[in-house]
Every structure is written in C-alpha cells, then in structure tokens.
Amino acid sequence: MSPTPVRFHDPRATLADFASSILVRCPRCERIAHFERRPCTPPSADCGTHPHSRLVCRSCGLCRIDTGTSHCPRPPLWLRTGTRHGELWAYNLRHLDLIRRFAAADLRERAPWYDTGQKMTLVARLPAWMKSAKNRAEVLRAVDRLRATVIAPG
C-alpha cells in the first residue's frame, strides 16, 4: 500500500502579503536585522500617505525609522541563497515556509479555473525550476539552509 501523497493547496498569497516584514542584512554589522513597513497611524498632515519603515538590528542595536519623506534603500535580503538552477529567496520565515510546503508536496492543487479570485499568486509565479519535481530535494536543502541561518545566526 502506497503512502498518502503530501498535498499543497494554494492559499492565494501574493508577494505583498509577505512584504510588510522582511529579514535583511544589517548595514552596520552585516548580521540579521528586521525591516518592516507600516501605514501611518494615526494619519496626520506631516505623515501624508507615505508608510513608515523601520530597520532594527538586535546584534548591534541599530534602529532607523523613516517617515517616508526621504528615500532610503532597503538593505539586502537575509534569506537568499544560490542553487545550480537559480537564486532562491524569501522575505521572512512565513514566506520560506510557503515555499517549503510547496516544494515538499507530491500533489499541488490550485484554485479551480472558474473561481474569480487571484489567478497569479505567489506559487503560480515561482520559477519553473522550483516547480519541477526533479529539483525537489535541492530546493528543500536550500530552504533548510536558509532556515538554519535564522534559527542559529552565524
């Protein structure tokens, strides 16, 4: 009797669902830092419609807050690694977990064609080499390597 296949059902997440909280490389100490973008609360005349962004590093204590009036570039992603097929990256652990669940699944289900929801979800936009079953082991190894850098930073 064969084992039950691992199923993945597309949650219809988009990249924007993960973009509010991003793990980045600290510009001062080159260790893991947290970058988040939030809408202004409460809206005020000096805030306008620009979101607040904040960069916090627990290692060196760096804390930068941008109110949207200046344009400061976002530091490079922490969860980023190369494979022989291409680069695998994720914004945060939730994003990485979605990629891992997708790659590990034997049966990948999308929403029905007649459904009126989002069609080009994050899973639908993954590169073909990540979707290929023959690269499953390599993608899972890369995801596990990235997860280990967050759990025990080096």
Side-chain angles (χ1 to χ4, degrees):
M1 186 166 201
S2 64
T4 307
V6 178
R7 291 184 138 193
F8 175 85
H9 184 72
D10 189 355
R12 292 193 176 168
T14 62
L15 202 54
D17 295 334
F18 301 102
S20 62
S21 175
I22 304 171
L23 297 176
V24 295
R25 189 170 300 279
C26 176
R28 184 189 292 166
C29 69
E30 295 292 316
R31 297 191 68 165
I32 190 169
H34 183 252
F35 179 85
E36 67 178 12
R37 184 168 289 157
R38 293 188 267 169
C40 292
T41 53
S44 62
D46 62 334
C47 179
T49 59
H50 299 289
H52 286 273
S53 60
R54 182 172 68 172
L55 174 74
V56 177
C57 177
R58 289 186 177 179
S59 298
C60 68
L62 176 69
C63 182
R64 290 187 182 162
I65 299 174
D66 182 23
T67 58
T69 56
S70 65
H71 178 70
C72 62
R74 185 175 65 216
L77 290 175
W78 181 264
L79 296 172
R80 182 176 168 181
T81 189
T83 67
R84 64 188 172 117
H85 300 289
E87 188 173 50
L88 187 139
W89 59 271
Y91 279 156
N92 51 39
L93 288 175
R94 282 188 6 203
H95 185 188
L96 194 64
D97 181 56
L98 180 74
I99 294 170
R100 186 179 203 320
R101 286 187 294 121
F102 175 79
D106 298 322
L107 181 61
R108 300 165 180 169
E109 298 176 346
R110 294 181 65 182
W113 64 269
Y114 52 83
D115 201 357
T116 58
Q118 177 82 17
K119 298 292 184 213
M120 287 304 289
T121 63
L122 176 71
V123 170
R125 291 176 183 259
L126 287 175
W129 65 268
M130 266 193 222
K131 294 178 183 181
S132 177
K134 69 180 180 181
N135 298 328
R136 178 176 292 142
E138 187 172 358
V139 171
L140 292 175
R141 276 194 309 271
V143 166
D144 291 341
R145 272 195 322 263
L146 288 175
R147 181 178 294 284
T149 65
V150 174
I151 294 173

